Amino acid sequence: MPARIYKPSKTAMQSGQANTKAWVLDFEPEAPRHVEPLMGWTSSGDMRQQLRLRFDSKEEAVAYCERRGVPYQVTASVPPKRRIMSYADNFSIKRRDAWTH
């Protein structure tokens, strides 16, 4: 079962960078989930799906996979592009967009 190593992005509910600095190792499912006929719940016999490991660096996560013999795939993270703008730019004469309320 391959593992996926990535750096999580911030959620839509966050304004800061909390929980985005650590690298995460998730295991891909071995078998698809199935619906139990009695209760209708979705279940799986694969317990590694529930496991999520956090590492301080990508190298630590890769070393963990190589020590355990787990095949892995590293997904590179792209830093967000920031557009620096001051409050006074909202009222600038050289503003590109129309300014309306």
Side-chain angles (χ1 to χ4, degrees):
M1 150 179 24
R4 189 172 61 136
I5 300 171
Y6 64 97
K7 199 170 189 179
S9 62
K10 72 182 194 92
T11 65
M13 302 303 292
Q14 292 176 334
S15 60
Q17 298 297 320
N19 297 328
T20 61
K21 298 191 179 5
W23 286 82
V24 176
L25 180 123
D26 282 337
F27 291 96
E28 296 295 327
E30 283 184 354
R33 295 179 182 212
H34 60 276
V35 177
E36 291 185 0
L38 179 63
M39 297 297 291
W41 295 343
T42 304
S43 68
S44 173
D46 183 19
M47 298 303 285
R48 290 180 110 183
Q49 273 183 291
Q50 300 173 7
L51 186 62
R52 175 174 283 173
L53 301 174
R54 294 187 180 271
F55 297 94
D56 291 331
S57 67
K58 176 175 67 171
E59 291 77 22
E60 289 179 12
V62 169
Y64 176 83
C65 287
E66 289 175 353
R67 253 192 335 261
R68 305 278 181 186
V70 176
Y72 62 90
Q73 176 183 5
V74 178
T75 305
S77 62
V78 178
K81 295 179 181 176
R82 304 279 182 203
R83 193 175 107 195
I84 299 174
M85 186 172 147
S86 69
Y87 180 71
D89 290 338
N90 289 331
F91 308 103
S92 174
I93 296 172
K94 298 177 185 176
R95 185 178 170 95
R96 292 183 197 167
D97 300 331
W99 185 76
T100 61
H101 271 86

